[in-house]
Amino acid sequence: MSDLQQQMFSEFEDKKLFKQAQEYALDYIDSHRDRQVFPTEEALEGLKAFDEPLPVNKGNGADILRLLQEKGGPATIPQIGGRYFGLVNGGVIPTTLAVRNLTDYWDQNAPLYVTSPVNSMLEEVTQKWLVELLGLPNQTVAGFVSGTSISLLAGIAAARYRIFKNNHWDVNEQGLNGAPPINILASKHAHGTVIKAIAILGLGTNNIQWLDADDQGRVIAESVPEMDASTILILQAGNVNSGSFDPFDILCDKANKAGAWVHIDGAFGLWAAGTKQLCHLTKGIEKAHSWSMDGHKTLNTPYDSGVILCKDEEALVTALQTSGAYIVNSVNRDGMFYTPEMSRRARAIELWAALKYLGREGVDELVVGLHERAKQFAAEIANVEGFTVLNEVVFNQVIVKCADDELTQQTISEIQNLRECWVGGSKWEGDAVIRISVCSWATTEDDISRTVASFKQALFAVKSKR
Ligand SMILES: *Cc1c(COP(=O)(O)O)cnc(C)c1O
């Protein structure tokens, strides 16, 4: 046995490393609520400790953990807490974190039934539960990917495959040179990852016909041009700024009549379909062909959790085909056929755990809770002089501006400096805006009030300096 083997066997045996990691992790849970929502300057400076040449000699696990604890931990964003409102960053359900912890030790590889029967089973169950919860067609299949970016790539690849195939063109074999045209319709508010997927798939971003949207960012149904069987229509459940939803019911009917393919980017918004109070927002989604969503945003699973849902199994699987003489297909589910990746984490287990923990009732409570807190924020900030709320708060997003762009931008910087909460900026109808995404179960009414107070303090400080 080599020295390295000996060392690592003893690390498994005495378990000190694992206990140490657990202790640090539990410290983090205990302290995160009291921490500032963005690392201090000192903590950021401390990251320089990692900037060293590739080590020549073997290291020591305990030292590595200590370095992370001392220099890494302070430079994390405590987004498992309740006052992080940047991007659309979900918090985390404790059970799913614990499940991740356990299953990390299993270190499963998820491509095939034979590489992980337990993952295969839980993918199958999660697929069934998602289809039921969201009210999608029975034949819908799910692939478990790293996030909506890859889910969009997979869904639009399925659309591309099917449309070409219907035109007697096998894109897998014949490629794109000389292929018949594909007509892409997407909202002018489409997320950057939609555009990325179109570019990667060789469909060409110059070929996108941009759809007009109303003042909330919803596609205006009447403005959508004629579609045909070569059209991919990409709609959105949850605008990344305003949280608004496109009119799926009307547009899916129109698309289906024309034989077009509809893909819905529902990264964070598709979960509205699993609630009683907000499911009116997703009316008609079941008439689409494929859907993208995340576990790690609205559902609050740990990061690295996305899903591609597609009712045309053959199109999805053929678009993402893999073969190899060593691949052992099984009569059970082989998850890799539904994803672009082959080796991957058994990430569906955390999504399964979230649904098992919450149940329909808990999904409703969690999602509606985010909506309630967003409405609370909008109501409270509207009462603070100097801030204007710009959107109808239909879901979890609020956009706010100050008197002019410069004041808005300076206020964002000041809010970020105060570190009581974290929010970012964006553009809305040409103006600089502050965007607030309520995306953690851990956000309480008090967190919202503290956030509003911090906004007020920041604006006051900026104005005093003028
Ligand atoms: C976050 C987001 C994406 C990208 O999803 P990732 O999980 O970050 O890859 C795409 N579309 C919308 C609307 C989003 O909010």
Side-chain angles (χ1 to χ4, degrees), residues 194-261:
V194 167
I195 298 158
K196 181 209 284 265
I198 289 166
I200 294 177
L201 289 165
L203 297 172
T205 54
N206 284 351
N207 297 320
I208 302 173
Q209 272 184 275
W210 300 104
L211 303 175
D212 266 344
D214 66 15
D215 63 349
Q216 298 299 311
R218 293 174 292 232
V219 165
I220 300 170
E222 297 72 34
S223 77
V224 174
E226 282 300 306
M227 293 180 258
D228 61 24
S230 300
T231 303
I232 304 176
L233 171 65
I234 301 170
L235 299 176
Q236 184 162 254
N239 179 293
V240 81
N241 289 312
S242 70
S244 69
F245 292 66
D246 287 334
F248 307 113
D249 206 35
I250 283 188
L251 287 175
C252 288
D253 282 345
K254 244 180 153 174
N256 282 325
K257 218 172 269 169
W261 180 293

Side-chain angles (χ1 to χ4, degrees), residues 88 147-149 152 191 193 236 238 240 265 267-268 294 296-297:
V88 187
T148 290
S149 302
L152 286 161
H191 194 268
T193 52
Q236 184 162 254
V240 81
D265 173 6
F268 63 95
D294 280 324
H296 52 219
K297 291 180 178 173

